[in-house]
Amino acid sequence: MSQGDPGNGAAAPVTSLTDPLDDGDRAPAAADGPTEKCGVVGVSLTDRAAARPLYYSLYALQHRGQDSAGIATHDGFQQHSHVGMGLVGDAFDGTDLDGLAGSAGIGHVRYPTAGGVNARCAQPFSVSFKSGALALAHNGNLVNADDIRDELASSGHAFTSRGDTEVIAHDLARNLIEADLIRAVKRTMDRVHGSYSLTVMHDDTVLGVRDPLGNRPLCIGKLEDGYVLASESAAIDTLDGDLVRDVRPGELVVLESDGSGFESYQLFEEEHTARCFFEHVYFARPDSVIDDTLVYEARRDLGRALWEESGVDSDVVMPVPDSGRAFASGYADAAAEDGAEVEFAEGLMKNRYVGRTFIMPTQDERERAVRLKLNPIRSTVEGRTVTLIDDSIVRGTTSTQLVELLRDAGAAEVHVRIGAPAIVAPCYMGIDMATREELIAAGRPVEEIRDDIAADSLSYLSVDAVADALASSRADLCLGCVTGEYPYDIDGETADRDVSRPAVGEPPPADD
Ligand code: AMP
């Protein structure tokens, strides 16, 4: 790894901004441990309690985690924290917020997993040690947490969970005994491998760290009276703030504790990034800007590319709500521009009081949940050829159920178009997907999947179209779940990520 270190171990600040607006922006994770796929936030304000802004931003990031929610603040003397299970609204009541004193703080929402949901995994994770109090909120997943945990445990560190966040917290706490904050963070980043976007609070100093490959998002926002770090810019919008920019891969951002600015330390600089393409496809809010791209527009572009690659004549184009909406609108626009006579309409109505089907532990419950969640609008469907658009197929439950539902509602033909490539491998970097055995597309041709879901036709988007729509080279994206090639060495996975591919728009190398 190349490092932006001046030589004495501590990196120099590369930017110190008071007006940054001028500066331009489930996999079998930790083996048997809980997985960490979440939303994080941190704020430092001039003269106002941080608890409410943190609470509101957690609401804005609720889609990134519904298992638990928590906030830790610092009032200059001591740390306060409250974590609770469930949605943000369930985890806090008014009096909980009143007890969170101080104008600096961090917050976290945790992603649901089928098993192992318990309060010990809830974050922020807090630890007190010789040189202060530390709180950590983590989005991502380490691939070497077990090794570091074993080493720290053998030198006397007591762990309360199997989670990798606690590993980062202990490692950082140990480093902080011997080194200043910047050096300590750098040493920890040197040791932990995998994906992490962190908000950290050391006493009343709030920091944001993005892993050297920038796998998970993290951005900086400016408020009237301070600064905010958040997984997604939608959280900054909720606080009436302005997005300053993304935290760069390998960058440490330290918010001034008086809310007046922030310092940036580029601790690591890699030749390639490994930004998760699935954030833009599924995970992030469409109204968030991630790595300079508005997620909604990226999804529309993916939809347009889908029409260009595999458009099919039909009477009506309809999204799977809500995940397919932006894709279907881009697809329908591109179809109309090509002179196709196709109506764009809602053909499925969503019951918004049913949670995500994905967290249903059994297949039977997952199938039932699709029927609970979506009901066809007969007038859109009856007697017509239908193109159904979604962002992704994982196990195939949703598409199988929906094709059947649309046929029962009288559809003459059902064509399925997917705005991402086939998911053929697990995610080890922080998205709760499924195991390889559960993935309908793992090791199987599209025709077999089409047959399974009983569609008249099925097409996925190509990997190159994804890179194009995200204005990125394939070599700078993590495409592990659609290629089986990962940016890190993963036990049991053999294919390495191919970073020799050309940037978007460049001609392929001669031997490609
Ligand atoms: P499946 O029914 O298993 O094929 O899952 C596909 C549906 O789940 C699609 O409608 C996606 O929008 C959605 N989906 C994709 N990835 C995830 C995920 N990691 N967590 C929850 N839902 C997802």
Side-chain angles (χ1 to χ4, degrees):
M1 289 181 181
S2 69
Q3 300 160 8
D5 190 316
N8 59 1
V14 291
T15 10
S16 179
L17 302 173
T18 43
D19 185 8
L21 287 177
D22 291 342
D23 185 56
D25 183 47
R26 175 179 51 201
D32 52 346
T35 48
E36 316 284 354
K37 315 159 202 9
C38 314
V40 299
V41 62
V43 299
S44 198
L45 302 173
T46 304
D47 195 19
R48 180 165 58 117
R52 279 204 179 264
L54 287 166
Y55 176 66
Y56 299 142
S57 11
L58 291 183
Y59 259 107
L61 298 176
Q62 184 76 83
H63 62 291
R64 297 186 71 87
Q66 302 92 45
D67 231 24
S68 67
I71 292 176
T73 59
H74 201 286
D75 62 10
F77 298 100
Q78 60 174 320
Q79 193 184 103
H80 309 269
S81 84
H82 177 87
V83 293
M85 301 306 288
L87 300 173
V88 178
D90 300 323
F92 290 90
D93 61 31
T95 55
D96 296 327
L97 291 177
D98 293 344
L100 295 168
S103 57
I106 63 170
H108 186 266
V109 283
R110 185 169 181 269
Y111 198 87
T113 50
V117 175
N118 67 56
R120 276 185 305 144
C121 304
Q123 299 186 27
F125 183 83
S126 297
V127 55
S128 289
F129 62 108
K130 253 195 233 163
S131 51
L134 201 58
L136 239 109
H138 174 205
N139 172 210
N141 194 55
L142 301 188
V143 295
N144 66 340
D146 288 349
D147 296 342
I148 303 178
R149 185 190 299 104
D150 290 350
E151 187 206 311
L152 288 168
S154 63
S155 64
H157 287 255
F159 285 87
T160 59
S161 77
R162 296 285 300 160
D164 50 3
T165 308
E166 193 175 353
V167 171
I168 306 176
H170 278 269
D171 196 73
L172 189 53
R174 183 177 70 167
N175 291 334
L176 276 166
I177 293 170
E178 293 166 1
D180 65 37
L181 188 59
I182 314 306
R183 279 191 191 91
V185 170
K186 185 163 180 298
R187 285 185 194 174
T188 295
M189 288 174 79
D190 247 331
R191 271 159 60 78
V192 297
H193 297 146
S195 100
Y196 53 90
S197 277
L198 304 169
T199 52
V200 182
M201 188 170 61
H202 178 228
D203 292 336
D204 61 353
T205 301
V206 172
L207 358 159
V209 183
R210 196 169 173 197
D211 70 66
L213 301 183
N215 185 250
R216 295 280 145 229
L218 189 65
C219 59
I220 314 167
K222 182 172 177 7
L223 309 179
E224 230 173 48
D225 56 350
Y227 283 84
V228 54
L229 292 156
S231 294
E232 291 182 35
S233 64
I236 300 169
D237 298 339
T238 305
L239 302 181
D240 291 330
D242 294 308
L243 173 65
V244 176
R245 62 172 172 84
D246 295 293
V247 175
R248 300 182 191 103
E251 184 186 15
L252 161 66
V253 170
V254 183
L255 303 188
E256 303 286 358
S257 43
D258 61 1
S260 63
F262 65 86
E263 290 193 334
S264 156
Y265 302 83
Q266 191 65 49
L267 299 182
F268 292 84
E269 215 154 354
E270 297 282 325
E271 195 183 335
H272 290 287
T273 59
R275 295 180 291 115
C276 169
F277 86 99
F278 208 63
E279 287 277 350
H280 283 93
V281 165
Y282 171 77
F283 204 52
R285 275 172 62 148
D287 52 336
S288 283
V289 175
I290 293 184
D291 291 325
D292 291 329
T293 310
L294 179 65
V295 172
Y296 181 75
E297 286 307 336
R299 289 182 190 166
R300 275 179 47 87
D301 286 349
L302 292 164
R304 300 181 72 84
L306 192 57
W307 166 263
E308 277 149 27
E309 284 191 345
S310 61
V312 54
D313 275 341
S314 63
D315 297 324
V316 62
V317 172
M318 61 174 68
V320 175
D322 296 309
S323 49
R325 237 180 221 128
F327 296 85
S329 115
Y331 179 99
D333 268 6
E337 280 166 22
D338 271 357
E341 282 184 20
V342 59
E343 187 193 354
F344 174 49
E346 298 281 344
L348 291 162
M349 197 36 65
K350 184 172 172 182
N351 177 346
R352 37 184 98 250
Y353 299 97
V354 179
R356 287 186 177 181
T357 57
F358 217 75
I359 63 174
M360 304 288 161
T362 68
Q363 187 58 21
D364 191 48
E365 280 173 292
R366 272 192 283 269
E367 282 168 20
R368 170 61 43 206
V370 175
R371 303 301 283 244
L372 278 173
K373 194 151 103 178
L374 296 165
N375 202 32
I377 297 172
R378 282 183 180 273
S379 61
T380 309
V381 175
E382 210 158 12
R384 310 181 79 194
T385 57
V386 170
T387 302
L388 180 68
I389 308 229
D390 205 356
D391 66 305
S392 58
I393 299 181
V394 183
R395 294 175 171 87
T397 317
T398 307
S399 21
T400 308
Q401 295 284 312
L402 292 183
V403 170
E404 190 187 335
L405 204 65
L406 293 173
R407 288 202 199 283
D408 289 350
E413 288 173 21
V414 183
H415 302 273
V416 176
R417 293 293 177 271
I418 301 296
I423 294 176
V424 296
C427 172
Y428 299 93
M429 304 297 149
I431 301 255
D432 195 1
M433 285 288 192
T435 62
R436 202 176 240 107
E437 295 68 42
E438 291 169 320
L439 294 170
I440 192 171
R444 302 178 71 213
V446 174
E447 185 51 26
E448 264 182 46
I449 306 161
R450 184 207 60 74
D451 200 42
D452 274 11
I453 67 172
D456 290 283
S457 74
L458 166 68
S459 289
Y460 291 94
L461 194 60
S462 70
V463 176
D464 284 333
V466 170
D468 247 333
L470 300 187
S472 177
S473 152
R474 279 178 69 157
D476 287 319
L477 295 174
C478 179
L479 295 156
C481 61
V482 296
T483 60
E485 299 167 5
Y486 298 96
Y488 294 97
D489 291 337
I490 313 272
D491 280 352
E493 296 287 347
T494 49
D496 284 337
R497 188 167 68 131
D498 180 2
V499 289
S500 65
R501 291 178 185 275
V504 173
E506 272 180 24
D511 60 346
D512 200 6

